[in-house]
Amino acid sequence: MIIGVPKEIKNNESRVGMTPAGIFELIKNGHTVYVQSGAGEGSGFFNSDYQKAGATILDTIGQVYAISEMIVKVKEPIEEEYHLVQEGQIVFTYFHFASSETLTRAMIKQKGVCIAYETVEDEDGSLPLLTPMSEVAGRMAIQQGAKYLEKPKKGRGVLLGGVPGVAPGKVLVLGAGTVGIQAAKMAAGLGAHVTIMDVNMKRLRYVNDVMPPHVVTEFSNEFNIRKHIKTHDLIIGGVLLKGAKAPNLITRDMLKDMHPGAVIVDVAVDQGGCVETTKATTHEDPIYIIDDVVHYCVANMPGAVPYTSTVALTNVTLPYVLKLANNGWQSACQNDASLEKGLNIVEGKVVYKEIAETFDLGTPALV
């Protein structure tokens, strides 16, 4: 198969779809790989590294799309890329279709085979290709939240870990999935008081077993959320509904009850956010303030640590890329139920139920 790795052109997105080590494995399996010039530089991988691994370097993104049977990316195509996707071409990347009707309709029109990292699902319900980026984003959420709690950044002026004689900051984590647990771990390590909420008692029991005593679990409902936002300094939104839009757990009217200078980091922004006032921001302009509450809603948080993120991503995507390249998408998906769940849009038809429901596109087509 001919595989293309384009340079990411989303704002401040420095990750790349494949490391030289991943390219080496693809070449070893008899495939041809084209990499756009400079695609890996933001992650610390240079053209010469890809050439040594056996890839051919092309100058433009258009050349990479035009020659490739499969595109391996990190983020969804943005508007200027839509027309480059060809009919029948596999695009394997994070799509997060439920957060963008424009993207969904564009990919239906282009008739590509859109396989989304975030909906590839193992038998136990885990999301193997979303997990490493959720781990990065969950840990980063505390770093960023701690920074924006500082007064020069318009925050409340609270040190999360406190000092002797001064109580530590309070962190509220919504969701006890991968993002939530990683955020709680980092916040606890800084010495903050952490409350983590979920509707899944199994997850809360797990958190209770593995976290230190200053991480407190509580069942998630509107009453409890309204109670806690009045006293917490940093709120992390880490709620995920697979392939669907995240629910609004914090509404606009709740902001007035929060401390002025409190910070919300909505990691769920990729799926529309779990805070009503969430709107996607960029690393260039990461925050905005509503009712004196600082909102940090960067849609590609792991893009700020591209070396770590790219290596972590290739570690998990490469086995699936090899299956697709070795067998073609139809055979690969027939033989791997996890990969089949990654199919979102196939040659103009939506095949993933949650996306069809989000945009009232009727009953999803059968593959």
Side-chain angles (χ1 to χ4, degrees):
M1 188 177 279
I2 301 170
I3 298 152
V5 181
K7 182 177 171 66
E8 298 293 325
I9 55 177
K10 191 165 185 168
N11 180 286
N12 273 280
E13 180 52 74
S14 300
R15 289 173 291 179
V16 63
M18 190 67 59
T19 62
I23 303 286
F24 183 83
E25 289 299 318
L26 288 166
I27 299 289
K28 196 169 78 175
N29 277 263
H31 306 294
T32 303
V33 184
Y34 291 95
V35 177
Q36 186 182 347
S37 182
E41 285 182 7
S43 298
F45 304 117
F46 300 96
N47 288 350
S48 58
D49 298 321
Y50 286 109
Q51 286 170 320
K52 284 174 192 167
T56 301
I57 304 298
L58 295 177
D59 290 332
T60 69
I61 192 168
Q63 289 173 316
V64 174
Y65 271 91
I67 202 169
S68 302
E69 297 166 278
M70 173 163 63
I71 295 292
V72 179
K73 280 175 51 60
V74 180
K75 292 301 288 182
E76 74 285 349
I78 62 173
E79 196 170 341
E80 59 226 68
E81 286 176 272
Y82 291 169
H83 71 283
L84 298 174
V85 177
Q86 302 170 70
E87 186 171 344
Q89 185 177 52
I90 302 166
V91 184
F92 195 28
T93 190
Y94 289 116
F95 276 106
H96 298 289
F97 280 118
S99 65
S100 174
E101 187 170 358
T102 305
L103 172 67
T104 304
R105 294 196 180 276
M107 291 302 103
I108 290 170
K109 181 184 173 188
Q110 294 304 120
K111 297 187 175 178
V113 178
C114 300
I115 307 178
Y117 292 158
E118 72 276 7
T119 64
V120 173
E121 184 180 334
D122 282 339
E123 283 180 21
D124 62 358
S126 63
L127 304 169
L129 306 190
L130 190 61
T131 297
M133 294 306 100
S134 297
E135 289 168 340
V136 172
R139 293 182 179 209
M140 274 191 71
I142 299 302
Q143 276 184 206
Q144 299 303 322
K147 179 168 73 179
Y148 285 101
L149 273 171
E150 295 171 8
K151 201 67 180 175
K153 299 287 187 184
K154 313 295 185 193
R156 195 165 172 242
V158 170
L159 182 66
L160 280 185
V163 290
V166 182
K170 289 187 168 184
V171 178
L172 176 63
V173 180
L174 301 176
T178 304
V179 167
I181 284 176
Q182 296 302 321
K185 185 188 293 184
M186 291 293 280
L190 287 174
H193 180 280
V194 183
T195 302
I196 184 165
M197 305 180 80
D198 204 300
V199 293
N200 184 333
M201 285 305 301
K202 280 186 181 174
R203 298 301 295 170
L204 293 180
R205 288 189 182 100
Y206 173 75
V207 171
N208 199 59
D209 285 343
V210 300
M211 291 288 176
H214 59 291
V215 176
V216 178
T217 59
E218 193 157 338
F219 192 80
S220 182
N221 54 43
E222 186 179 338
F223 184 88
N224 286 340
I225 291 170
R226 284 183 179 274
K227 175 181 72 176
H228 284 300
I229 61 171
K230 294 174 182 175
T231 58
H232 283 66
D233 307 298
L234 172 59
I235 296 173
I236 308 297
V239 177
L240 174 71
L241 299 179
K242 292 166 192 169
K245 192 178 182 309
N248 282 334
L249 300 183
I250 295 179
T251 54
R252 172 71 189 257
D253 71 289
M254 294 183 188
L255 300 185
K256 67 182 184 300
D257 295 328
M258 296 172 64
H259 292 304
V263 175
I264 294 172
V265 178
D266 195 349
V267 184
V269 61
D270 266 340
Q271 296 288 100
C274 61
V275 179
E276 186 181 359
T277 45
T278 287
K279 60 182 182 187
T281 61
T282 65
H283 290 294
E284 214 165 60
D285 189 15
I287 65 162
Y288 56 93
I289 297 171
I290 297 177
D291 292 347
D292 294 323
V293 175
V294 179
H295 292 60
Y296 177 97
C297 305
V298 174
N300 61 326
M301 287 175 66
V305 286
Y307 175 78
T308 299
S309 299
T310 295
V311 176
L313 185 59
T314 299
N315 287 345
V316 293
T317 57
L318 182 59
Y320 294 97
V321 173
L322 281 167
K323 284 178 185 178
L324 290 165
N326 290 341
N327 305 304
W329 72 267
Q330 285 163 307
S331 179
C333 291
Q334 279 171 3
N335 295 324
D336 188 330
S338 301
L339 185 57
E340 187 180 21
K341 289 183 179 174
L343 289 169
N344 281 203
I345 297 173
V346 175
E347 296 171 344
K349 294 177 180 141
V350 173
V351 298
Y352 198 81
K353 180 166 75 82
E354 284 78 1
I355 298 168
E357 288 174 350
T358 299
F359 302 121
D360 294 324
L361 296 171
T363 306
L366 297 172
V367 183

XYZ file of all heavy atoms in Angstrom, residues 2 61 115 135 152 162 178 189 267:
62
model
N 0.372 2.311 -0.592
C 1.075 3.602 -0.578
C 0.482 4.437 0.558
O -0.725 4.714 0.580
C 0.920 4.331 -1.928
C 1.484 3.470 -3.053
C 1.621 5.684 -1.888
C 1.159 3.992 -4.446
N 1.666 19.242 0.789
C 0.598 18.407 1.338
C -0.260 17.833 0.213
O -0.725 16.691 0.276
C -0.248 19.210 2.353
C -1.168 18.273 3.157
C -1.053 20.320 1.675
C -1.815 18.936 4.366
N -11.537 6.514 9.249
C -11.389 5.629 10.410
C -10.835 6.469 11.556
O -9.750 7.048 11.450
C -10.451 4.441 10.093
C -10.928 3.715 8.824
C -10.402 3.473 11.282
C -10.028 2.556 8.391
N -4.113 10.323 28.482
C -3.124 10.353 29.572
C -2.318 11.643 29.540
O -2.106 12.300 30.567
C -2.192 9.134 29.456
C -2.877 7.827 29.807
C -2.070 6.594 29.421
O -1.177 6.692 28.556
O -2.334 5.516 29.990
N -1.002 36.757 37.612
C -0.664 37.412 36.346
C -1.371 36.797 35.141
O -1.466 37.420 34.085
C 0.860 37.211 36.229
C 1.330 36.969 37.627
C 0.213 36.260 38.302
N -0.404 24.503 48.254
C -0.378 25.232 49.516
C 1.024 25.301 50.094
O 2.013 24.923 49.441
N -9.768 7.879 31.917
C -8.318 8.057 31.804
C -7.904 9.487 32.107
O -6.967 9.722 32.878
C -7.846 7.658 30.389
O -8.255 6.314 30.120
C -6.343 7.752 30.270
N -0.275 14.641 43.485
C 1.189 14.723 43.614
C 1.663 16.118 43.995
O 2.684 16.264 44.688
N -11.127 19.376 29.092
C -10.420 18.453 28.202
C -11.394 17.833 27.199
O -10.999 17.380 26.124
C -9.691 17.354 29.011
C -8.880 16.442 28.102
C -8.768 17.993 30.056
